[in-house]
Amino acid sequence: MPGVDDPLTLFESWLEGARAEMGYDADAMVVATVGQDLAPSARLVLLKGFSPEGFVFYTNTGSRKAV
């Protein structure tokens, strides 16, 4: 598969395939962290874009998780 050596090219290929199947619902993703108590905390966000600098996603900046 072309681009397998480049993770972003591979991700873009996966995202295009998912969008072909699911539309823009494929942009939904989960961001999770683990606190000092080792309890996970997760939220659904929407992918806005990605580049070699990282992934950009939409979230509610007033939420507990965003803080």
Side-chain angles (χ1 to χ4, degrees), residues 19-40:
R19 283 180 176 162
E21 292 287 322
M22 303 172 56
Y24 283 92
D25 285 344
D27 290 357
M29 60 185 194
V30 175
V31 173
T33 57
V34 176
Q36 290 182 342
D37 62 356
L38 302 180

Side-chain angles (χ1 to χ4, degrees), residues 34-47:
V34 176
Q36 290 182 342
D37 62 356
L38 302 180
S41 178
R43 69 177 293 123
L44 290 170
V45 297
L46 294 175
L47 180 65

Side-chain angles (χ1 to χ4, degrees), residues 3 8-11 15-17 24-25 29 31 36-39 43 49-50 52 54-55 57 60 62-63 66-67:
L8 288 178
T9 301
L10 183 57
F11 176 78
L15 183 59
E16 287 173 3
Y24 283 92
D25 285 344
M29 60 185 194
V31 173
Q36 290 182 342
D37 62 356
L38 302 180
R43 69 177 293 123
F50 62 96
F55 290 79
F57 52 88
N60 177 350
S63 72
V67 173

